[in-house]
Amino acid sequence: MPELPEVETTCSGIRPHLLDQSVLKVEVRQARLRWPVSQEIEDLVQQKVISVKRRAKYIFIEFADGSIIAHLGMSGSLRITQEDEELKKHDHLIFTLSSGMQMRYHDPRRFGCMLWAENPLEHKLIQNLGPEPLEDTFHPDYFYAKAKTSNLSIKQFIMNNAVVVGVGNIYACESLFLSSISPKRVANSISKARLTKLCGNIKTTLARAITQGGTTLRDFVNQDGKPGYFQQELFVYNREHEECSKCGKKIKRIVQAQRSTFFCSTCQK
């Protein structure tokens, strides 16, 4: 599943191609995504894009009367193409722009969405989300106050979108490793000093991933539209049985809430 850095990179990649462009045509080749494609999206002809923003893992494409809420789901991507480029099997929505380019939504598993909202921040999918991890509203005092009332494991806690948005499986594992905190620890058992360190490492890890994703933006208008930031070097994620970069012991894998967790049992307590 695309994580926050990939969504941010996607948002940054499509923004310059969409801003101030009018939609000349909308073709919905497959309306059955996670939820049916909103009818309002098909009626956007001659409407101009005002802004392209991200909230959590959702992308808002704003017009005068409302916004598209796009989510990439498990396998989705948005890419910018020439109008005459051959369509792919799973290109489900095609937006033809006044520039002559197209934006195409590609999603083999069809678990993403393309919805419409007059005010996206008030949409039921958005309104109860926690703070953005890279903004000042996510800070150690807030983080500690939330953790004090939680009996969840710390990994499940930081992946809870009501606590903080966008900390997916990869970066939960990485941030906990950098903070020397076991993913099995109960959130309310961890000291404020250690949670403060974790808060900072969540910010640093995500910011680094976004920066590395940004280096591929020159390739965004290409065959697959994938930012490619997953090529970065990771400390523990998907490294079961490999040596820990700190102590040399083997990285372990366990399953928490049906997700693989990678950690070093020596370094993380």
Side-chain angles (χ1 to χ4, degrees):
M1 176 182 290
E3 296 212 29
L4 185 146
E6 182 167 358
V7 179
E8 177 64 29
T9 301
T10 296
C11 192
S12 299
I14 64 176
R15 183 181 292 116
H17 300 281
L18 297 184
L19 283 181
D20 297 324
Q21 296 297 316
S22 295
V23 176
L24 300 186
K25 181 182 178 182
V26 180
E27 181 183 356
V28 179
R29 301 175 74 220
Q30 173 56 267
R32 293 178 297 169
L33 303 178
R34 184 172 184 178
W35 301 285
V37 174
S38 296
Q39 176 62 47
E40 292 90 341
I41 292 176
E42 298 186 57
D43 299 331
L44 284 173
V45 176
Q46 299 305 322
Q47 299 298 306
K48 182 178 289 188
V49 177
I50 295 173
S51 71
V52 181
K53 302 175 182 176
R54 179 191 58 77
R55 175 71 169 111
K57 295 182 184 180
Y58 296 92
I59 295 174
F60 299 161
I61 302 174
E62 183 184 3
F63 298 83
D65 298 327
S67 297
I68 295 173
I69 300 176
H71 194 285
L72 302 180
M74 299 292 290
S75 60
S77 64
L78 286 167
R79 73 187 193 280
I80 305 297
T81 73
Q82 299 289 340
E83 189 172 358
D84 59 359
E85 182 178 312
E86 184 177 354
L87 290 168
K88 297 184 178 183
K89 178 180 179 180
H90 300 292
D91 284 345
H92 300 315
L93 279 86
I94 297 95
F95 298 83
T96 301
L97 307 169
S98 52
S99 63
M101 303 292 283
Q102 290 184 339
M103 181 180 73
R104 299 180 183 178
Y105 177 67
H106 182 86
D107 190 356
R109 297 181 68 178
R110 302 210 319 256
F111 206 64
C113 70
M114 282 278 178
L115 303 175
W116 178 262
E118 292 184 7
N119 186 342
L121 294 177
E122 295 179 358
H123 192 277
K124 62 183 180 181
L125 293 173
I126 311 295
Q127 59 185 359
N128 295 318
L129 293 174
E132 290 285 333
L134 298 178
E135 294 184 358
D136 291 342
T137 47
F138 180 59
H139 54 79
D141 289 341
Y142 162 84
F143 194 39
Y144 178 62
K146 283 285 190 180
K148 278 172 55 177
T149 64
S150 177
N151 292 315
L152 292 173
S153 72
I154 186 61
K155 180 170 179 262
Q156 290 174 273
F157 177 72
I158 63 176
M159 290 181 65
N160 182 346
N161 280 330
V163 174
V164 57
V165 299
V167 185
N169 199 37
I170 294 174
Y171 296 106
C173 292
E174 294 294 296
S175 299
L176 287 167
F177 173 76
L178 291 173
S179 305
S180 302
I181 297 173
S182 169
K184 298 185 286 185
R185 285 285 301 271
V186 175
N188 64 19
S189 72
I190 302 172
S191 69
K192 185 174 183 180
R194 299 189 79 195
L195 288 171
T196 296
K197 184 177 182 180
L198 177 57
C199 181
N201 280 325
I202 289 171
K203 290 176 178 287
T204 299
T205 302
L206 289 172
R208 184 186 303 123
I210 290 169
T211 299
Q212 291 179 322
T215 64
T216 67
L217 287 182
R218 64 183 180 278
D219 299 321
F220 202 84
V221 184
N222 61 14
Q223 279 297 100
D224 58 12
K226 297 290 187 182
Y229 79 97
F230 279 116
Q231 297 173 11
Q232 67 187 277
E233 184 177 346
L234 300 172
F235 293 106
V236 290
Y237 184 80
N238 208 25
R239 293 190 60 222
E240 184 181 13
H241 303 314
E242 295 182 30
E243 291 185 357
C244 171
S245 60
K246 291 182 181 178
C247 72
K249 298 294 179 63
K250 302 295 186 184
I251 300 297
K252 294 184 177 181
R253 184 185 75 87
I254 60 173
V255 176
Q256 294 178 292
Q258 301 180 318
R259 304 297 299 276
S260 290
T261 297
F262 300 89
F263 70 109
C264 175
S265 59
T266 301
C267 295
Q268 295 175 249
K269 301 295 184 181

Coordinates of all heavy atoms in Angstrom, one line a residue, residues 151-207:
N151 N -4.0 1.3 25.6 CA -3.4 0.0 25.9 C -3.0 -0.7 24.7 O -2.6 -1.9 24.7 CB -4.5 -0.8 26.6 CG -4.9 -0.3 28.0 OD1 -4.0 0.0 28.7 ND2 -6.2 -0.2 28.3
L152 N -2.9 -0.1 23.5 CA -2.4 -0.7 22.3 C -0.9 -0.8 22.4 O -0.2 -0.1 23.1 CB -2.7 0.2 21.1 CG -4.2 0.3 20.7 CD1 -4.3 1.4 19.6 CD2 -4.8 -1.0 20.2
S153 N -0.4 -1.8 21.6 CA 1.1 -1.8 21.4 C 1.5 -0.5 20.7 O 0.7 0.1 20.0 CB 1.5 -3.0 20.5 OG 1.1 -2.7 19.1
I154 N 2.7 -0.1 21.0 CA 3.2 1.2 20.5 C 3.1 1.2 18.9 O 2.8 2.3 18.3 CB 4.6 1.6 21.0 CG1 5.0 3.0 20.6 CG2 5.6 0.5 20.6 CD1 4.1 4.1 21.1
K155 N 3.4 0.1 18.3 CA 3.3 0.1 16.8 C 1.9 0.3 16.3 O 1.7 1.1 15.4 CB 3.9 -1.2 16.3 CG 3.8 -1.3 14.7 CD 4.6 -2.4 14.1 CE 4.5 -2.4 12.6 NZ 3.5 -3.3 12.1
Q156 N 0.9 -0.4 16.9 CA -0.5 -0.2 16.5 C -0.9 1.3 16.9 O -1.7 1.9 16.1 CB -1.4 -1.2 17.3 CG -1.2 -2.6 16.8 CD -2.0 -3.5 17.7 OE1 -1.6 -4.0 18.7 NE2 -3.3 -3.8 17.3
F157 N -0.4 1.8 18.0 CA -0.7 3.1 18.4 C -0.3 4.2 17.4 O -1.1 5.0 17.0 CB -0.1 3.4 19.8 CG -0.3 4.8 20.3 CD1 -1.6 5.2 20.8 CD2 0.7 5.7 20.3 CE1 -1.8 6.5 21.2 CE2 0.5 7.0 20.8 CZ -0.7 7.4 21.3
I158 N 0.9 4.1 16.9 CA 1.4 5.1 16.0 C 0.9 4.9 14.6 O 0.9 5.8 13.7 CB 2.9 5.2 15.9 CG1 3.6 3.9 15.4 CG2 3.5 5.6 17.3 CD1 5.1 4.0 15.3
M159 N 0.3 3.7 14.3 CA -0.4 3.5 13.0 C -1.8 3.8 13.0 O -2.5 3.7 12.0 CB -0.2 2.1 12.6 CG 1.3 1.7 12.2 SD 1.5 0.0 11.6 CE 0.5 0.0 10.1
N160 N -2.4 4.3 14.2 CA -3.8 4.7 14.3 C -4.0 6.1 13.8 O -3.4 7.1 14.3 CB -4.1 4.6 15.8 CG -5.6 4.9 16.0 OD1 -6.3 5.4 15.2 ND2 -6.1 4.6 17.2
N161 N -4.7 6.2 12.7 CA -4.9 7.5 12.0 C -5.7 8.5 12.9 O -5.7 9.7 12.6 CB -5.7 7.3 10.7 CG -4.8 6.9 9.6 OD1 -3.6 7.2 9.6 ND2 -5.3 6.1 8.7
A162 N -6.3 8.1 14.0 CA -6.9 9.0 14.9 C -5.9 9.7 15.8 O -6.1 10.7 16.5 CB -8.0 8.3 15.8
V163 N -4.7 9.0 15.9 CA -3.6 9.6 16.7 C -2.7 10.5 15.9 O -2.4 11.6 16.2 CB -2.8 8.4 17.3 CG1 -1.5 9.0 18.1 CG2 -3.6 7.6 18.3
V164 N -2.2 9.9 14.8 CA -1.4 10.7 13.8 C -1.6 10.0 12.5 O -1.7 8.8 12.4 CB 0.1 10.7 14.2 CG1 0.6 9.3 14.4 CG2 0.9 11.5 13.3
V165 N -1.7 10.8 11.4 CA -2.0 10.2 10.1 C -0.7 9.8 9.4 O 0.4 10.4 9.6 CB -2.8 11.1 9.2 CG1 -4.1 11.5 9.8 CG2 -2.0 12.4 8.9
G166 N -0.8 8.8 8.6 CA 0.2 8.5 7.6 C 1.4 7.7 8.0 O 2.4 7.5 7.3
V167 N 1.4 7.2 9.3 CA 2.6 6.4 9.7 C 2.2 5.0 9.4 O 1.7 4.2 10.2 CB 2.9 6.6 11.2 CG1 4.2 5.8 11.6 CG2 3.1 8.1 11.5
G168 N 2.5 4.5 8.2 CA 2.2 3.2 7.7 C 3.2 2.2 8.3 O 4.1 2.5 9.1
N169 N 3.1 1.0 7.8 CA 3.9 -0.2 8.4 C 5.4 0.0 8.3 O 6.1 -0.2 9.2 CB 3.4 -1.5 7.7 CG 3.8 -2.7 8.5 OD1 3.8 -2.7 9.7 ND2 4.2 -3.7 7.8
I170 N 5.8 0.5 7.1 CA 7.2 0.6 6.9 C 7.8 1.6 7.9 O 8.8 1.3 8.5 CB 7.5 1.1 5.4 CG1 7.1 0.0 4.4 CG2 9.0 1.4 5.2 CD1 7.2 0.4 3.0
Y171 N 7.2 2.8 8.0 CA 7.8 3.8 8.7 C 7.6 3.7 10.2 O 8.3 4.3 11.1 CB 7.4 5.2 8.2 CG 8.0 5.3 6.8 CD1 7.2 5.2 5.7 CD2 9.4 5.4 6.6 CE1 7.8 5.2 4.4 CE2 10.0 5.4 5.4 CZ 9.2 5.3 4.3 OH 9.7 5.2 3.0
A172 N 6.5 2.9 10.6 CA 6.4 2.6 12.0 C 7.5 1.7 12.5 O 8.2 2.0 13.5 CB 5.1 1.8 12.2
C173 N 7.9 0.7 11.7 CA 9.0 -0.2 12.0 C 10.3 0.6 12.0 O 11.1 0.5 13.0 CB 9.1 -1.3 10.9 SG 7.8 -2.5 10.9
E174 N 10.5 1.5 11.1 CA 11.8 2.2 11.0 C 11.9 3.2 12.2 O 13.0 3.4 12.8 CB 11.9 3.0 9.7 CG 12.0 2.1 8.5 CD 13.3 1.3 8.4 OE1 14.4 1.9 8.3 OE2 13.2 0.1 8.5
S175 N 10.8 3.9 12.5 CA 10.9 4.9 13.5 C 11.1 4.3 14.9 O 11.8 4.8 15.8 CB 9.6 5.8 13.6 OG 9.4 6.4 12.3
L176 N 10.5 3.1 15.1 CA 10.7 2.4 16.4 C 12.1 1.9 16.5 O 12.7 2.0 17.6 CB 9.7 1.3 16.5 CG 8.2 1.7 16.8 CD1 7.3 0.5 16.5 CD2 8.0 2.3 18.2
F177 N 12.7 1.5 15.5 CA 14.1 1.0 15.5 C 15.0 2.2 15.9 O 15.8 2.1 16.7 CB 14.5 0.4 14.2 CG 15.9 0.1 14.1 CD1 16.4 -1.0 14.7 CD2 16.8 0.9 13.4 CE1 17.8 -1.3 14.7 CE2 18.2 0.6 13.3 CZ 18.7 -0.5 14.0
L178 N 14.8 3.3 15.2 CA 15.7 4.5 15.5 C 15.5 5.0 16.9 O 16.4 5.6 17.5 CB 15.3 5.6 14.5 CG 15.8 5.3 13.0 CD1 15.2 6.4 12.1 CD2 17.3 5.2 12.9
S179 N 14.3 4.7 17.5 CA 14.1 5.1 18.9 C 14.4 4.1 19.9 O 14.2 4.3 21.1 CB 12.6 5.5 19.0 OG 12.2 6.5 18.0
S180 N 14.9 2.9 19.5 CA 15.2 1.8 20.3 C 14.1 1.3 21.2 O 14.2 0.9 22.3 CB 16.4 2.2 21.2 OG 17.5 2.6 20.5
I181 N 12.8 1.4 20.6 CA 11.6 1.0 21.3 C 11.1 -0.3 20.7 O 10.9 -0.4 19.5 CB 10.6 2.1 21.3 CG1 11.1 3.3 22.0 CG2 9.2 1.6 21.9 CD1 10.1 4.5 21.9
S182 N 10.8 -1.3 21.5 CA 10.2 -2.5 21.0 C 8.8 -2.3 20.5 O 8.0 -1.6 21.2 CB 10.1 -3.6 22.1 OG 9.4 -4.7 21.7
P183 N 8.5 -2.8 19.3 CA 7.1 -2.6 18.8 C 6.0 -3.3 19.7 O 4.9 -3.0 19.6 CB 7.2 -3.3 17.4 CG 8.3 -4.2 17.5 CD 9.3 -3.6 18.4
K184 N 6.5 -4.2 20.6 CA 5.5 -4.9 21.4 C 5.2 -4.1 22.7 O 4.2 -4.5 23.4 CB 6.1 -6.3 21.8 CG 6.3 -7.2 20.6 CD 6.8 -8.6 21.0 CE 8.2 -8.6 21.4 NZ 8.7 -10.0 21.7
R185 N 5.9 -3.1 23.0 CA 5.7 -2.3 24.3 C 4.3 -1.7 24.2 O 3.8 -1.2 23.2 CB 6.7 -1.2 24.4 CG 8.1 -1.7 24.9 CD 8.1 -2.1 26.3 NE 7.7 -0.9 27.2 CZ 8.6 0.0 27.7 NH1 9.9 -0.1 27.4 NH2 8.2 0.9 28.5
V186 N 3.6 -1.7 25.3 CA 2.3 -1.0 25.4 C 2.5 0.5 25.4 O 3.4 1.0 26.1 CB 1.5 -1.5 26.7 CG1 0.2 -0.7 26.8 CG2 1.2 -3.0 26.6
A187 N 1.7 1.2 24.7 CA 1.9 2.7 24.5 C 2.0 3.4 25.9 O 2.9 4.3 26.1 CB 0.9 3.3 23.7
N188 N 1.1 3.1 26.8 CA 1.0 3.8 28.1 C 2.1 3.4 29.1 O 2.2 4.0 30.2 CB -0.3 3.7 28.7 CG -0.7 2.3 29.1 OD1 0.2 1.4 29.3 ND2 -2.0 2.0 29.3
S189 N 3.0 2.5 28.7 CA 4.1 2.1 29.6 C 5.4 2.8 29.2 O 6.4 2.6 29.8 CB 4.3 0.6 29.5 OG 4.9 0.2 28.2
I190 N 5.4 3.6 28.2 CA 6.6 4.2 27.7 C 6.8 5.7 28.2 O 5.8 6.4 28.3 CB 6.6 4.3 26.1 CG1 6.5 2.8 25.6 CG2 7.9 4.9 25.6 CD1 6.3 2.7 24.1
S191 N 8.0 6.0 28.7 CA 8.2 7.3 29.3 C 8.0 8.4 28.3 O 8.2 8.3 27.1 CB 9.6 7.4 29.9 OG 10.6 7.4 28.8
K192 N 7.8 9.6 28.8 CA 7.7 10.8 28.0 C 9.0 11.1 27.2 O 8.9 11.5 26.0 CB 7.3 12.0 28.8 CG 7.0 13.3 27.9 CD 6.5 14.4 28.7 CE 6.1 15.6 27.8 NZ 5.6 16.8 28.5
A193 N 10.1 10.9 27.8 CA 11.4 11.1 27.1 C 11.5 10.2 25.9 O 12.0 10.7 24.8 CB 12.5 10.9 28.1
R194 N 11.1 8.9 26.0 CA 11.3 8.0 24.9 C 10.2 8.3 23.8 O 10.5 8.2 22.7 CB 11.1 6.6 25.4 CG 12.2 6.2 26.4 CD 12.2 4.7 26.7 NE 12.8 3.9 25.6 CZ 12.7 2.6 25.5 NH1 11.9 1.9 26.3 NH2 13.4 2.0 24.5
L195 N 9.0 8.7 24.3 CA 8.0 9.1 23.3 C 8.4 10.4 22.6 O 8.1 10.5 21.4 CB 6.7 9.3 24.0 CG 6.0 8.0 24.4 CD1 4.8 8.3 25.3 CD2 5.6 7.1 23.2
T196 N 9.1 11.3 23.2 CA 9.5 12.5 22.6 C 10.5 12.2 21.5 O 10.5 12.7 20.4 CB 10.2 13.4 23.6 OG1 9.2 13.9 24.6 CG2 10.8 14.7 23.0
K197 N 11.4 11.2 21.8 CA 12.4 10.8 20.8 C 11.7 10.1 19.6 O 12.0 10.4 18.4 CB 13.4 9.8 21.4 CG 14.5 9.3 20.5 CD 15.5 8.4 21.2 CE 16.6 8.0 20.3 NZ 17.6 7.1 21.0
L198 N 10.7 9.3 19.9 CA 9.9 8.6 18.9 C 9.2 9.6 18.0 O 9.2 9.5 16.8 CB 8.9 7.6 19.5 CG 8.0 6.9 18.5 CD1 8.8 6.1 17.4 CD2 7.1 6.0 19.3
C199 N 8.6 10.6 18.6 CA 7.9 11.7 17.9 C 8.8 12.3 16.9 O 8.5 12.5 15.7 CB 7.3 12.7 18.9 SG 6.4 14.1 18.1
G200 N 10.0 12.7 17.3 CA 11.0 13.3 16.5 C 11.5 12.4 15.3 O 11.7 12.8 14.2
N201 N 11.6 11.1 15.7 CA 12.1 10.1 14.6 C 11.0 9.8 13.6 O 11.3 9.6 12.4 CB 12.5 8.8 15.3 CG 13.9 8.9 15.8 OD1 14.8 9.6 15.3 ND2 14.2 8.3 16.9
I202 N 9.7 9.9 14.0 CA 8.6 9.8 13.0 C 8.7 10.9 12.0 O 8.7 10.7 10.8 CB 7.3 9.8 13.7 CG1 7.1 8.4 14.4 CG2 6.1 10.0 12.7 CD1 5.8 8.4 15.3
K203 N 8.9 12.1 12.5 CA 9.1 13.3 11.6 C 10.3 13.2 10.7 O 10.2 13.4 9.5 CB 9.2 14.6 12.5 CG 7.9 15.0 13.2 CD 8.2 16.2 14.1 CE 6.9 16.6 14.8 NZ 5.9 17.3 13.9
T204 N 11.4 12.8 11.3 CA 12.7 12.7 10.5 C 12.6 11.7 9.4 O 13.0 11.9 8.3 CB 13.8 12.4 11.4 OG1 14.0 13.5 12.4 CG2 15.1 12.3 10.7
T205 N 12.0 10.5 9.8 CA 12.0 9.4 8.9 C 11.1 9.7 7.7 O 11.4 9.4 6.5 CB 11.5 8.1 9.6 OG1 12.4 7.8 10.7 CG2 11.4 6.9 8.7
L206 N 9.9 10.2 8.0 CA 9.0 10.6 6.9 C 9.5 11.7 6.0 O 9.4 11.6 4.8 CB 7.6 11.0 7.5 CG 6.8 9.8 8.1 CD1 5.6 10.3 8.8 CD2 6.4 8.8 7.0
A207 N 10.1 12.7 6.6 CA 10.7 13.8 5.9 C 11.8 13.3 4.9 O 11.9 13.8 3.8 CB 11.2 14.9 6.8

